[in-house]
């Protein structure tokens, strides 16, 4: 109970820190507190998380201990969650987030169970699970199971894996899915330490987003794995995968987990991982999580990657055979700083996770693969931002800090959250100079390590530690325009037009009726994508034939290139690409690829919609529940 008061005092200190020149001091004080005790909560209006039912300033969870059995037949995870809580002395109840959990009992260790109730269900957010507290309750012991349709969990049959022999399970917690399998306060601003004992059928391996705390034990047909995260993390970062998994070291503190049949290809593609960690540390300070391992998942994984601490989850679609898509690895690694170390307090500020990370990713790519590749990837990202601005017509969704209405988890266009966020930081870098900016950013991660962040807090920190009252600089930076206004401020740093000079010439030549570029095969992935994305969106069959024949696009091994081509092809009802399209949509479930393609098809009532329906009927069972939920809205199977 005394710890609660410490947390509140710390929050007040954090606020004071934002507005005073003593920011350094405040940040250091909180850093110590975060490591030794309980992470502070930000008590400011813009830090309020509308996607959680928790009221953490009254009572909050600070440690989660799970003892769970994974039941592949029933598609459930069940057992016990013990929550250590921090509360005001007069708090009568604690509110947790719950989406479809089957609760059996809740107790606090004394003889009598605690009364609890589940409130009205919101379709997106789930329901509040309110537990009555006794005056001395400091711990909740919850016996429960997840529902078979838990949104965080995807259960794969052996046929849906690469090895085809054993079943597979993986979780995806971000943004608000972990409440479907863990009864806790599922809000990014409520950091929690955690540990887990996981029981799985013998022969399967369970990995989690934390260091292992003891060696696995197998007896009586069951294997038991134990993990413990000593650092406080946002609860969406608790992650699990269970399957036929093998491990290979990549470097002294890096390695890859995947199905045995995938191990060689995955390890080859990830060969630069150790170098990337070193490059990231050189930029923005120590990697604080111990090991950095990667888990390459079966193709159904809905995202490119998920930055689960100590164990990034990755789509296998990044494997191109030539490391041309490892920007994805740089991105997930960068989240070890922006996102995992300093975390958006609410989803209205997810640009603080994703924009910072997209910027940082590009700096890692520059350090490892040189300025040309980095400049090209930055220019592509700029194009993505411009596309999002055009789609949103520079409306309110093009603000970095989203208004409450748009601030739902998964709200906001990635072209804004990721790409405009990165362009903003690149613009600051250009104005203040790289050396000054890097020194600031490094100190920012140190000051706020293991703490929640908001736009207001970041801007206050930037003003205290970088602008330092320099009025001319303040005017030049246009900070508030960038964060709170839609569209693009006038001081934007644009990408170097030279980055794609040759490619843009080839686009013009082809658009005027010339040949497809013979140099294409030797181009970088960024160059290929630039070419395909800049071509006119409307083209006749003969021109598409010319492209496909010369560039072998239907057979592209690089999934990003294949996606860009298929997008162009279906917009022009290009029949010769349909077979490649069906293969692509039924062989992987990455949402970034399958969602726009199926949506575009569905809009074309006559030609595209029947194809979309045919494909979705086959592919739906292999897609993640998150992807299914998006695509079910199209009512293709009705
Ligand atoms: Zn990210």
């Amino acid at each position: 109970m005394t710890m609660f008061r410490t947390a509140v005092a710390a929050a007040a200190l954090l606020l004071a820190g934002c507005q005073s020149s003593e920011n350094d001091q405040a940040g250091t004080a909180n850093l110590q507190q975060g490591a030794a005790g309980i992470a502070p909560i930000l008590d400011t209006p813009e830090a309020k998380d509308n996607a959680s039912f928790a009221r953490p300033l009254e009572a909050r969870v600070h440690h989660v201990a799970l003892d769970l059995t994974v039941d592949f037949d029933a598609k459930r995870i069940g057992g016990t969650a013990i929550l250590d809580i921090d509360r005001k002395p007069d708090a009568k109840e604690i509110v947790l987030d719950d989406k479809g959990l089957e609760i059996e009992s809740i107790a606090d260790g004394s003889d009598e169970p605690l009364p609890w109730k589940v409130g009205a269900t919101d379709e997106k957010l789930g329901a509040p699970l309110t537990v009555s507290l006794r005056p001395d309750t400091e711990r909740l012991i919850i016996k429960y199971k997840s529902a078979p349709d838990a949104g965080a969990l995807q259960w794969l049959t052996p046929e849906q894996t690469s090895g085809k022999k054993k079943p597979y399970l993986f979780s995806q917690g971000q943004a608000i899915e972990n409440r479907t399998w863990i009864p806790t306060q599922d809000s990014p601003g409520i950091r929690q330490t955690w540990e887990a004992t996981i029981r799985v059928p013998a022969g399967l391996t369970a990995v989690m987003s934390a260091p292992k705390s003891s060696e696995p034990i197998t007896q009586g047909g069951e294997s038991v794995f134990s993990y413990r995260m000593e650092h406080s993390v946002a609860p969406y970062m608790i992650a699990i995968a269970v399957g036929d998994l093998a491990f290979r070291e990549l470097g002294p503190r890096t390695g890859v987990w995947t199905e045995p049949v995938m191990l060689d290809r995955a390890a080859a593609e990830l060969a630069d991982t150790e170098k990337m960690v070193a490059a990231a540390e050189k930029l923005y300070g120590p990697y604080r999580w111990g090991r950095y391992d990667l888990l390459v998942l079966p193709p159904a994984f809905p995202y490119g990657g998920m930055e689960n601490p100590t164990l990034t989850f990755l789509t296998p679609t990044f494997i191109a055979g030539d490391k041309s898509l490892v920007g994805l690895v740089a991105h997930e690694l960068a989240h070890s700083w922006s996102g995992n170390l300093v975390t958006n307090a609410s989803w209205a500020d997810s640009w603080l996770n994703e924009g910072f990370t997209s910027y940082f990713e590009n700096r890692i790519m520059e350090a490892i693969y040189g300025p040309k590749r980095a400049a090209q990837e930055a220019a592509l990202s700029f194009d993505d931002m411009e596309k999002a601005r055009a789609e949103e017509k520079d409306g309110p969704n093009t603000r970095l800090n989203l208004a409450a209405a748009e601030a739902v988890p998964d709200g906001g266009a990635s072209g804004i959250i990721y790409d405009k966020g990165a362009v903003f930081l690149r613009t600051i870098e250009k104005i203040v100079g790289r050396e000054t900016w890097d020194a600031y950013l490094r100190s920012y991660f140190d000051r706020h390590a293991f703490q929640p962040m908001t736009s207001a807090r970041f801007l206050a920190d930037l003003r205290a530690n970088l602008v330092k009252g320099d009025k001319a600089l303040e005017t030049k930076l246009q900070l508030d325009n960038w964060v709170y206004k839609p569209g693009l401020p006038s001081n934007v740093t644009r990408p170097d037009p030279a980055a794609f000079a040759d490619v843009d010439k080839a686009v013009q030549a082809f658009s005027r009726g010339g040949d497809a570029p013979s140099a294409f095969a030797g181009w970088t992935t960024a160059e290929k994508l630039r070419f395909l994305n800049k071509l006119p969106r409307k083209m006749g069959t003969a021109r598409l034939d010319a492209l496909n024949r010369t560039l072998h696009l239907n057979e592209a091994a690089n999934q990003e290139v294949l996606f860009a081509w298929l997008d162009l092809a279906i917009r022009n009802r290009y029949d010769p690409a349909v077979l490649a399209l069906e293969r692509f949509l039924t062989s992987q479930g990455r949402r970034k690829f399958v969602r726009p393609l199926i949506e575009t098809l569905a809009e074309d009532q006559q030609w595209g919609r029947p194809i979309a329906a045919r494909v979705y009927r086959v592919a739906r069972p292999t897609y993640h529940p998150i992807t299914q939920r998006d695509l079910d809205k199209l009512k293709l199977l009705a």
Side-chain angles (χ1 to χ4, degrees), residues 10 27 54 65-66 99 134 137 167 182 231 256 299 303 320 339 411 437 483 524 550-551 565 580 606 615:
L66 303 170
K99 199 170 179 191
R134 297 195 182 90
T137 302
I182 305 173
H231 296 297
V256 56
Y303 293 109
W437 173 238
V483 175
T524 64
T550 315
L551 313 181
W565 158 244
Q606 248 187 331
V615 171

Side-chain angles (χ1 to χ4, degrees), residues 383-395 398 416 487:
D383 289 346
D384 287 342
M385 173 190 72
E386 293 294 60
K387 203 170 145 207
R389 282 182 59 210
E391 276 165 13
E392 297 285 341
K393 300 189 175 62
D394 272 347
T398 62
I416 301 303

Side-chain angles (χ1 to χ4, degrees), residues 161-165 244 246 258-266:
T161 67
S162 307
K164 315 277 181 210
K165 289 193 193 108
D244 180 13
T258 192
E259 291 184 69
V261 296
M262 295 281 292
L263 199 53
D264 287 338
R265 286 177 65 214

Side-chain angles (χ1 to χ4, degrees), residues 329-344:
V329 180
H331 182 95
E332 304 313 330
L333 169 64
H335 269 308
S336 306
W337 286 258
S338 41
N340 298 358
L341 194 60
V342 183
T343 310
N344 53 230

